[in-house]
Amino acid sequence: MKTLILTNTFILLCLIPGMTWGQFVTISGYVNDSSNGKALENVSIFESNSGIGTISNQNGFYRLVLNDSLVNLQIANKGFKDFSQEMEIASDTTLVVKLEPQLIERKNQKNDEEELQAGIQPEEKKAERRKPEFK
């Protein structure tokens, strides 16, 4: 009787972890620049339903281990348009994402010079330097 209880307990303890393993899914893949195909490093990959996230390595590779099949994936990097997709996955999935560069408007050079001078015109600036105000 003792042997039967120990055997059943052992079998039950071996089966419980096996039942939970089937609930995990892995999403892995690469993040590349769509304009030149180069791998993007330090890109933020976030799954909003579970709150689990990671960043891509120097080869653009990432991997997320999730415990739900309903996935809302958000991928973002400075200087690129954000990528967001909701999907339901049943098994381990590989997803390659190509982020599009975001156009950044550059102010013209004249406006940049004006900001650097902080509102002082070049002629006024020279005149102020030439006036000795101490006696």
Side-chain angles (χ1 to χ4, degrees):
M1 183 69 172
K2 217 181 213 185
T3 308
L4 184 62
I5 292 173
L6 287 174
T7 306
N8 287 340
T9 304
F10 179 73
I11 292 173
L12 188 62
L13 289 175
C14 289
L15 289 177
I16 289 174
M19 287 187 272
T20 59
W21 288 337
Q23 296 175 358
F24 290 103
V25 292
T26 301
I27 297 178
S28 60
Y30 293 90
V31 182
N32 298 324
D33 185 340
S34 68
S35 63
N36 57 19
K38 290 186 179 180
L40 295 175
E41 184 178 6
N42 294 328
V43 176
S44 170
I45 298 97
F46 180 72
E47 201 287 310
S48 62
N49 294 335
S50 66
I52 296 173
T54 188
I55 60 171
S56 61
N57 67 9
Q58 68 272 14
N59 300 320
F61 180 78
Y62 68 93
R63 180 185 357 227
L64 287 173
V65 179
L66 306 168
N67 59 359
D68 195 10
S69 61
L70 183 61
V71 175
N72 187 1
L73 200 63
Q74 298 174 356
I75 300 176
N77 194 19
K78 187 177 180 181
F80 291 88
K81 293 180 183 177
D82 293 349
F83 173 84
S84 179
Q85 185 167 354
E86 189 171 339
M87 59 190 131
E88 190 167 342
I89 56 174
S91 63
D92 294 350
T93 304
T94 301
L95 183 66
V96 177
V97 177
K98 296 188 178 191
L99 294 180
E100 295 180 25
Q102 194 172 35
L103 297 177
I104 300 173
E105 291 185 25
R106 175 89 172 126
K107 294 180 180 181
N108 62 25
Q109 190 173 1
K110 185 176 180 180
N111 287 342
D112 287 345
E113 289 175 5
E114 289 174 4
E115 287 178 9
L116 290 175
Q117 294 172 4
I120 299 174
Q121 297 298 327
E123 298 82 28
E124 293 174 10
K125 198 173 184 181
K126 287 179 186 177
E128 283 182 22
R129 275 191 251 155
R130 292 180 186 158
K131 292 181 188 176
E133 299 204 8
F134 52 90
K135 293 181 182 181

